[in-house]
């Protein structure tokens, strides 16, 4: 069974990577799908995010990294996926994700959403938090894959 793990991944964090690594154990194939949202200002380009994810997941088999625009359910249908994989950190994530899962179900009845609770060590972690720490020169190497930490340090012009 194919699972789609959609998101902006701007940038990918160790929490995201944890969900990906656990997802490949559960599914035959996981497609990490980077959403190109023209209404959102991203730090890294879609191409750069795809490259970052590809690099930090090269140790995994049965994974594909791609990008898309439009509805996630349409992308899932195009790739014959039956599952959307989503990570949950805190209760507020659940409310938003449950609403999205119900909405997706109205658009594609055959598509299921599977939630994985993040490991507790990443429960506080978000891409926004990482960007804010990096913006002010804080060390982020324990929050993101090493290739992403280097890209963030280069972007903000500092070393940690």
């Amino acid at each position: 069974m194919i699972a789609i793990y959609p998101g902006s991944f701007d940038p990918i964090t160790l929490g995201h990577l944890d969900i990906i690594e656990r997802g490949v154990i559960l599914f035959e194939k996981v497609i990490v799908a980077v959403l190109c949202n023209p209404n959102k200002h991203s730090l890294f380009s879609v191409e750069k995010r795809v490259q970052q994810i590809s690099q930090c997941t090269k140790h995994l088999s049965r994974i594909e990294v791609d990008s898309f625009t439009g509805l996630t359910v349409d992308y899932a249908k195009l790739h014959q996926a039956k599952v959307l994989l989503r990570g949950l950190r805190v209760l507020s994530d659940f409310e938003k994700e449950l609403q999205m899962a119900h909405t997706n179900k109205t658009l594609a009845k055959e598509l299921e959403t599977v939630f994985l609770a993040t490991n507790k060590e990443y429960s506080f972690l978000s891409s926004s938090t990482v960007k804010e720490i990096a913006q002010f020169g804080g060390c982020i190497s324990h929050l993101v894959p090493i290739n992403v930490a280097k890209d963030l340090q280069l972007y903000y012009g500092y070393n940690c």
Side-chain angles (χ1 to χ4, degrees):
M1 186 177 308
I2 298 172
I4 305 288
Y5 183 31
S8 58
F9 306 105
D10 187 40
I12 187 170
T13 68
L14 293 179
H16 293 128
L17 190 56
D18 173 60
I19 297 295
I20 295 167
E21 289 173 339
R22 291 165 51 211
V24 296
I25 295 168
L26 298 172
F27 301 102
E28 293 171 34
K29 181 179 183 180
V30 174
I31 302 173
V32 181
V34 178
L35 173 63
C36 177
N37 186 345
N39 298 324
K40 196 172 181 182
H41 176 70
S42 299
L43 186 66
F44 295 115
S45 70
V46 170
E47 297 78 19
K48 182 65 173 176
R49 288 178 272 158
V50 166
Q51 177 193 38
Q52 289 170 334
I53 297 166
S54 296
Q55 187 175 352
C56 69
T57 59
K58 63 184 173 188
H59 65 288
L60 300 171
S61 60
R62 302 186 329 270
I63 187 168
E64 181 181 323
V65 184
D66 195 13
S67 63
F68 75 104
T69 57
L71 296 174
T72 303
V73 294
D74 291 339
Y75 181 84
K77 287 177 188 177
L78 182 67
H79 291 275
Q80 300 170 343
K82 300 295 181 203
V83 171
L84 295 178
L85 180 60
R86 302 298 295 160
L88 297 174
R89 295 170 298 164
V90 292
L91 186 59
S92 59
D93 282 352
F94 179 73
E95 291 179 32
K96 183 180 121 192
E97 292 292 343
L98 184 62
Q99 181 182 20
M100 192 179 309
H102 288 313
T103 302
N104 286 337
K105 197 70 164 165
T106 69
L107 298 170
K109 291 185 183 349
E110 70 284 357
L111 196 58
E112 295 294 338
T113 301
V114 172
F115 300 109
L116 290 181
T118 189
N119 281 320
K120 64 182 178 193
E121 64 194 279
Y122 305 122
S123 63
F124 69 95
L125 189 53
S126 71
S127 295
S128 298
T129 300
V130 168
K131 287 187 280 193
E132 187 171 346
I133 294 168
Q135 180 181 5
F136 293 105
C139 189
I140 40 91
S141 60
H142 62 295
L143 305 175
V144 295
I146 192 68
N147 63 306
V148 177
K150 289 177 182 177
D151 288 342
L152 283 164
Q153 290 167 1
L154 184 63
Y155 183 87
Y156 288 112
Y158 75 97
N159 287 318
C160 176

